[in-house]
Structures are given as C-alpha cells and as structure tokens.
Amino acid sequence: MPLIDEMVEALQSALSGRVYGPEDWVFINPLTGGHYTHRAVGNIFARAKKATGYKVTLNEFGRHSRATQRLDAGWTYEEVSRFLLNTAAQVEKAYANTTKATRTAIIHLRKSPTKKEVQK
C-alpha cells in the first residue's frame, strides 16, 4: 500500500520503540503475533472497501496509486516501468491518458467518501 506522509507518521507513532530485524514485518497480527498473510490482508482490505463504499481493488490501491505518485513526482515511464517490473511501453499505455485529477483521486482513496458518493 502506498504510504503518504500522514500514514508514515501514524506508523511511526504506532511502532515507536520497536526494533526491526531482517525477518520483521510492518503489520503484525495482534492475535497470533505473526505477520498477516496475503489472504488476510486481502480480507481486511475487502472489509475496508465495503465499509467506505469504494469500488477499487487492492492492486489499484497499491500498485497503481504508487505508479501515479511516481509519475506525478516527475519519474519517466522507463523509471516507473523498472519500479513496477513492466516495460516502459506497458506503463505508458496504462498511464499516458490518465489525467492528474484521476491520479490524485487514486492516491487519496483512503479519504472517506461523502454519503452522496457512497450511494452512487
């Protein structure tokens, strides 16, 4: 999931004093003490998506919003393609016609929609 400044601050606060090693995970399941599995993260995301009313996949939220952040920061299609492990042509095809407004909307999906937006 892409982390914007507010999320980084929240994580730093929540995880202050924690010592990390090479096998550590950021998101620890408090019930088991182990890391969340891919399936568990997907289930958590599905519940959050349903609660907010957004129709977005975890891939769109994470991978695509991260790519749009990089493009908005001035990265080239080639640089983003290496980041995503795609070709520059694939990245350009996917993002060349995406407006800055659309990219911004993807990046800020974490914000709660208005009641009117949820009912659409």
Side-chain angles (χ1 to χ4, degrees):
M1 169 172 31
L3 299 178
I4 61 173
D5 292 341
E6 292 130 348
M7 292 175 175
V8 171
E9 290 171 15
L11 275 176
Q12 287 173 338
S13 175
L15 302 174
S16 65
R18 186 159 172 223
V19 179
Y20 292 93
E23 299 297 321
D24 284 336
W25 299 81
V26 173
F27 301 107
I28 302 297
N29 183 333
L31 299 176
T32 67
H35 69 278
Y36 283 103
T37 63
H38 184 268
R39 180 181 297 222
V41 170
N43 289 338
I44 292 166
F45 185 82
R47 287 193 305 272
K49 181 174 81 168
K50 183 177 180 183
T52 61
Y54 285 121
K55 292 179 174 67
V56 62
T57 67
L58 185 55
N59 184 57
E60 289 167 334
F61 185 76
R63 184 176 172 88
H64 294 310
S65 61
R66 200 71 171 152
T68 59
Q69 287 174 331
R70 298 297 172 253
L71 290 168
D72 283 344
W75 286 29
T76 66
Y77 293 125
E78 182 65 36
E79 291 168 325
V80 174
S81 73
R82 286 193 300 264
F83 179 76
L84 296 177
L85 301 176
N86 281 343
T87 66
Q90 287 173 313
V91 171
E92 185 171 4
K93 181 179 177 185
Y95 299 102
N97 294 323
T98 305
T99 66
K100 185 164 183 157
T102 302
R103 291 179 188 168
T104 301
I106 292 169
I107 291 167
H108 295 299
L109 283 174
R110 67 177 179 75
K111 294 184 179 177
S112 297
T114 65
K115 189 174 183 178
K116 185 177 181 179
E117 289 172 331
V118 172
Q119 292 174 353
K120 287 184 180 178

